[in-house]
Amino acid sequence: MTMKSFFLLVLGFGVLLAGAHANEQSELTRRAKIDALIAEMTLEEKAGQLTQFSDPGDITGPAPSGSRDKKKRKLIKSGVVGSVLNVVGVENVRVLQKIAVEESRLGIPMVFAYDVIHGQKTMFPIPLAEAASWDLDLIEHSARIASIEASAQGINWTFAPMIDVSREPRWGRVMEGAGEDPFLGAEIAVARVRGFQGEDLSAHDTIASTLKHFAGYGFVESGKEYNRADVGTITLHNIILPPFRAGLERANARTVMNSFNTLNGVPATGDRYLQRDLLKGEWGFDGVIVSDWGSGIEMIEHGFAEDERDAARLAILGGSDMDMESFIYAPKLPSLVRDGVINEALLDDAVRRVLNLKFDLGLFEDPYRYIDAVREETQLFTAEHRAAARKIAQDSVVLLKNEGSLLPLSGTESIALIGALADDKDTPLGNWRARAVRNSAISVREGFEAAGIDFDFERGARLEIGEATFGSEIAINVTDKSGFEEAVTAAKNADKVVIVLGEDALQSGEGRSRAEIGFPGVQQELLELVYDANPNTVLVVMSGRPLTLTWADENVPAIVQAWHLGHEAGHAITDVLTGAVNPSGKLPMTFPRSVGQVPIYYNFLNTGRPDPNQPVFWAHYTDEENAPLYPFGYGLSYTAFKYSNLRTRKRDDGVEVSVRVKNVGDRAGAEVVQLYVHDQVASISRPERELKGFQKLTLDAGESSTLTFMLTKKELGFYNARGDFVFEPGVFDVFVGGSSAAKLNKEIRVHFALD
Ligand code: GLC
């Protein structure tokens, strides 16, 4: 080694050490600053840091009224509040931040939070729709844009991603998640956290994310909102928790929100096992746990806390750091400490987490970092953002049926466009529409007009009566059929019909559970009359959940699942119907034949009597099939893909699986190649199939490609009843294909211990 290279080596080490030292120094400085602040804070100020209130202007839950509201405003005004939510707009944020920083005793900046669930100003498809794209880059980009827009309006913390795995289409909030599968859900959780938090959380255009709701909210009994959730540890660790683990371990999510429900009898907000033993203990989570809106005080209703003081005690003991809108920490924690009921160290730990989040966000360095009127003026609802929304909307559409290639539309036929939702500029915005302007989406009707399609529009029937709002119940038209006649006439006079049916945006989302999941109102009757008038009918379904489409599947030749696709919905749906875009979406949730099958999902355990080899005594219904209408991972294309050459090869750390995929159709298309495994025999019964890998690729007509996947201990192992991850050598089935019903399979014997 020459002297010069030796010198450079030493210099390099020196720089590295200095860098590490500088990092360590800055860590020490931060810790010292936080310690010094905590040492100075009174009990009231500590309790204040653990308090989060909503601006009364834009509530997202049952807001306290009267005197409590006045006290809340006074506390915000006095700056002893850690965070506020639902304050949007740089000037509104500036006013409150100025009070906290310049008028309160310690000048600790506040964090401004908002539900940026599927966009801030530019609405993207609802998360369940984005999940149908299976495109992790697009999903991350969607969150990135939402983060840029939200931070441009003064927000530094979003209550997203919602990562509740759910098998319950009756539950309104399935629209907000990534569907029924933990593997897909984990990948999407990571993508969305990375999109929100970016590379540098202290940058002015990145915001803290929230993994929610911890835990089990997606398993509410009967799909009824806020209901109890009872699950065994196998389901908890193998189905519900993986997206949370992934969001923390692989994307460093900075906050977690606990949930309204009881999990096995314990309200999550007071659940010490979930929050302290597991999340903060075993998983080492060093961020902030925020309660859900009022979930702290609701522990009284749950019969878990005696009164507000007891609720505050149980919440802080349980590990819930910040109290959203229960108004129990600020008034009750100081006296609980003074009376020796709880140790002040509990408050100090929670305060440390909150202050640490504020350091992460750069708010101590510059409390006004996210307050930039020029950004607010120039970064919202831009053409670039809308183009991104259109792209992911296109890829979120799922083609469910296309008999006789009725689709794509040729562009020469006359079309009858029917349905209230075809002309609806509000529903596509979805449920959590943040700062979107009402009725600002592109409707299907406008998409058709822009594409120059020759069509007549007939509403057929109203969907709702009056105007729906976030905080009010929606009234559905169940009697008025006054537009039926015109719709049937239009259908008769056209070459083809495109009928758009489904749910209003505010029929899914929080507080919107449905016991029946067919078309609401008089839509089913309209569909049958229109189809009768012209069987060349394309059904476009707009919904925030899987609906029971069984009649349509038995009769209508073409069906497209179009969810609530955001601002660019009309263009994206038109792009797919005209063939400008070849649909590539795959279902992130099983579609049932009837609501009686629910919960129905693909990764089920077998029963002891799976086969009908006896007339009565086997696992079945007497009045319904076992199979779903459309399975998880299903979706068609205007082309077709053929799978072959499924091969497996032993590697040091696992089994390599390769498969050849060929586009055997006459046009380019994208396919989501899915890999499923089945552990034939294990110490617990294992699912018939589990998604353990997927890759989305585009192939030209006639083009083929060979894809490889790796199956390691991580994919072949599972969590046992004690919550320990185990791998048991044995025989596994491997399935590869374009849905969870994939037929191509191979058996592998994994007897070597994977380390
Ligand atoms: C709501 C939701 C939660 C949301 C919070 C603040 O009730 O449950 O997901 O983030 O309140 O709006």
Side-chain angles (χ1 to χ4, degrees):
M1 178 185 289
T2 64
M3 276 308 287
K4 181 167 179 280
S5 53
F6 176 72
F7 172 71
L8 286 173
L9 186 70
V10 168
L11 181 68
F13 263 119
V15 168
L16 272 176
L17 285 176
H21 183 65
N23 271 344
E24 198 186 304
Q25 275 301 27
S26 71
E27 269 310 301
L28 281 174
T29 317
R30 173 189 290 201
R31 203 175 299 137
K33 279 185 178 169
I34 290 176
D35 288 346
L37 257 181
I38 290 175
E40 265 209 84
M41 292 167 85
T42 64
L43 283 174
E44 282 68 23
E45 286 165 333
K46 290 179 182 177
Q49 272 311 302
L50 306 182
T51 296
Q52 180 184 65
F53 288 131
S54 168
D55 177 275
D58 178 4
I59 61 164
T60 47
S65 57
S67 63
R68 190 184 287 179
D69 198 21
K70 289 194 183 61
K71 273 189 213 153
K72 179 171 91 170
R73 285 170 173 272
K74 188 166 166 288
L75 279 171
I76 292 179
K77 292 282 181 213
S78 57
V80 285
V81 170
S83 169
V84 283
L85 67 146
N86 296 332
V87 175
V88 182
V90 292
E91 284 321 311
N92 297 328
V93 169
R94 186 197 308 278
V95 165
L96 292 178
Q97 191 68 306
K98 201 166 176 304
I99 292 166
V101 171
E102 298 173 25
E103 295 177 26
S104 72
R105 189 174 77 87
L106 294 172
I108 298 172
M110 292 196 286
V111 195
F112 291 81
Y114 198 51
D115 290 283
V116 190
I117 310 296
H118 50 97
Q120 170 76 8
K121 195 74 179 175
T122 307
M123 283 301 111
F124 283 78
I126 57 173
L128 188 61
E130 287 197 345
S133 75
W134 293 54
D135 189 320
L136 300 176
D137 292 339
L138 287 185
I139 290 169
E140 181 171 341
H141 188 53
S142 161
R144 186 90 283 284
I145 288 173
S147 177
I148 288 167
E149 293 194 354
S151 58
Q153 291 208 287
I155 300 299
N156 18 73
W157 180 13
T158 178
F159 297 132
M162 186 274 220
I163 56 175
D164 298 316
V165 173
S166 186
R167 302 157 165 173
E168 261 297 350
R170 292 174 291 185
W171 187 47
R173 300 195 76 164
V174 290
M175 55 73 56
E176 205 175 330
E180 72 188 49
D181 182 69
F183 184 93
L184 178 62
E187 294 305 312
I188 289 176
V190 170
R192 301 197 78 215
V193 170
R194 285 177 177 160
F196 288 129
Q197 297 190 170
E199 294 300 318
D200 173 7
L201 193 52
S202 69
H204 65 251
D205 63 352
T206 58
I207 59 179
S209 64
T210 307
L211 301 177
K212 73 181 186 182
H213 304 79
F214 197 65
Y217 191 5
F219 278 67
V220 283
E221 196 171 80
S222 318
K224 187 167 72 175
E225 186 59 280
Y226 309 127
N227 209 2
R228 61 187 287 179
D230 280 2
V231 294
T233 45
I234 300 295
T235 300
L236 178 63
H237 284 282
N238 291 289
I239 303 295
I240 292 171
L241 294 179
F244 287 94
R245 284 177 186 268
L248 295 175
E249 290 164 8
R250 292 167 48 198
N252 190 31
R254 299 310 304 135
T255 80
V256 171
M257 182 183 292
N258 55 46
S259 53
F260 292 120
N261 57 285
T262 54
L263 181 63
N264 303 329
V266 179
T269 304
D271 191 324
R272 199 182 299 207
Y273 163 71
L274 268 185
Q275 298 175 114
R276 289 205 181 279
D277 302 348
L278 189 65
L279 183 56
K280 293 179 174 177
E282 197 180 314
W283 296 2
F285 176 58
D286 64 354
V288 175
I289 301 179
V290 61
S291 70
D292 200 342
W293 186 295
S295 62
I297 199 168
E298 288 173 9
M299 292 197 287
I300 301 170
E301 285 295 341
H302 282 299
F304 186 73
E306 280 172 40
D307 52 26
E308 294 187 12
R309 176 179 159 95
D310 198 30
R313 178 182 69 85
L314 289 164
I316 195 78
L317 282 174
S320 187
D321 299 311
M322 184 171 271
D323 163 22
M324 181 201 299
E325 274 296 341
S326 282
F327 200 65
I328 50 177
Y329 275 11
K332 303 299 179 190
L333 286 184
S335 60
L336 282 166
V337 173
R338 290 196 177 96
D339 299 347
V341 175
I342 57 165
N343 189 317
E344 185 167 1
L346 287 181
L347 271 69
D348 292 350
D349 174 63
V351 170
R352 179 180 310 283
R353 292 166 183 267
V354 172
L355 296 180
N356 210 31
L357 175 65
K358 295 179 178 183
F359 269 102
D360 285 344
L361 286 163
L363 287 169
F364 275 105
E365 206 179 317
D366 174 6
Y368 303 102
R369 172 160 299 172
Y370 297 82
I371 299 172
D372 177 343
V374 172
R375 286 194 67 223
E376 187 169 40
E377 191 52 43
T378 59
Q379 308 251 317
L380 304 180
F381 204 59
T382 64
E384 182 197 345
H385 293 175
R386 292 202 306 278
R390 180 168 180 168
K391 167 61 181 157
I392 194 165
Q394 292 164 346
D395 290 6
S396 301
V397 174
V398 184
L399 179 60
L400 297 174
K401 187 179 176 188
N402 190 22
E403 217 160 65
S405 300
L406 194 65
L407 287 174
L409 302 174
S410 67
T412 57
E413 66 272 88
S414 63
I415 305 286
L417 177 63
I418 293 170
L421 287 172
D423 193 29
D424 188 329
K425 291 173 59 61
D426 194 66
T427 276
L429 298 176
N431 178 282
W432 287 98
R433 65 255 312 267
R435 307 307 287 177
V437 174
R438 276 198 78 97
N439 296 309
S440 59
I442 301 294
S443 67
V444 175
R445 183 177 187 177
E446 289 169 327
F448 273 32
E449 283 159 357
I453 294 173
D454 164 21
F455 72 98
D456 286 325
F457 168 72
E458 285 296 342
R459 188 175 68 177
R462 283 185 300 167
L463 174 56
E464 64 260 331
I465 298 166
E467 188 154 317
T469 64
F470 189 79
S472 63
E473 286 286 354
I474 190 168
I476 296 299
N477 163 36
V478 292
T479 54
D480 176 4
K481 303 173 190 174
S482 51
F484 275 26
E485 197 177 324
E486 292 83 348
V488 169
T489 305
K492 280 186 181 141
N493 297 334
D495 297 327
K496 289 182 185 176
V497 174
V498 173
I499 185 167
V500 184
L501 304 173
E503 294 178 318
D504 181 276
L506 295 169
Q507 286 188 274
S508 59
E510 185 175 356
R512 271 82 178 191
S513 291
R514 291 180 64 202
E516 288 299 337
I517 51 175
F519 288 121
V522 298
Q523 298 181 96
Q524 179 63 35
E525 196 178 336
L526 174 64
L527 173 62
E528 294 181 23
L529 287 171
V530 162
Y531 170 74
D532 208 32
N534 185 339
N536 289 328
T537 292
V538 176
L539 169 62
V540 176
V541 182
M542 277 192 193
S543 67
R545 56 163 51 88
L547 298 182
T548 42
L549 304 173
T550 312
W551 184 91
D553 182 66
E554 287 163 359
N555 295 280
V556 178
I559 305 172
V560 169
Q561 175 63 26
W563 313 107
H564 295 137
L565 289 176
H567 266 109
E568 294 293 314
H571 289 321
I573 293 167
T574 304
D575 295 337
V576 169
L577 296 183
T578 59
V581 168
N582 188 354
S584 61
K586 299 283 186 179
L587 294 179
M589 268 188 95
T590 300
F591 274 50
R593 291 177 183 281
S594 58
V595 73
Q597 291 179 302
V598 170
I600 181 170
Y601 46 94
Y602 86 94
N603 49 356
F604 58 84
L605 302 190
N606 208 351
T607 67
R609 299 188 182 183
D611 304 313
N613 54 12
Q614 48 189 324
V616 176
F617 307 113
W618 63 286
H620 75 301
Y621 301 98
T622 57
D623 58 354
E624 181 55 278
E625 295 182 36
N626 278 347
L629 185 62
Y630 306 116
F632 172 81
Y634 171 83
L636 300 175
S637 169
Y638 292 147
T639 185
F641 298 93
K642 185 169 175 295
Y643 290 77
S644 62
N645 292 32
L646 176 57
R647 303 226 189 294
T648 58
R649 192 161 31 167
K650 206 162 92 168
R651 288 276 191 241
D652 294 345
D653 60 348
V655 177
E656 181 186 277
V657 179
S658 63
V659 68
R660 187 179 150 85
V661 189
K662 182 173 184 177
N663 178 344
V664 296
D666 57 6
R667 57 170 295 162
E671 171 73 333
V672 180
V673 178
Q674 301 156 50
L675 168 71
Y676 295 87
V677 299
H678 168 230
D679 187 345
Q680 289 186 3
V681 179
S683 56
I684 55 170
S685 178
R686 304 286 295 121
E688 285 300 280
R689 298 197 180 195
E690 287 183 288
L691 179 70
K692 293 297 179 185
F694 66 87
Q695 295 179 41
K696 185 165 189 176
L697 79 165
T698 298
L699 294 172
D700 288 334
E703 185 185 3
S704 63
S705 177
T706 297
L707 301 181
T708 56
F709 299 86
M710 268 305 285
L711 291 175
T712 67
K713 173 179 172 181
K714 183 169 159 291
E715 288 75 29
L716 298 177
F718 59 90
Y719 290 93
N720 64 18
R722 285 185 309 283
D724 303 323
F725 188 81
V726 295
F727 165 70
E728 297 174 359
V731 184
F732 296 79
D733 301 304
V734 173
F735 302 87
V736 181
S739 89
S740 58
K743 296 280 182 290
L744 187 60
N745 71 84
K746 199 168 165 40
E747 192 174 85
I748 56 174
R749 296 173 180 282
V750 186
H751 281 296
F752 50 100
L754 302 175
D755 54 18

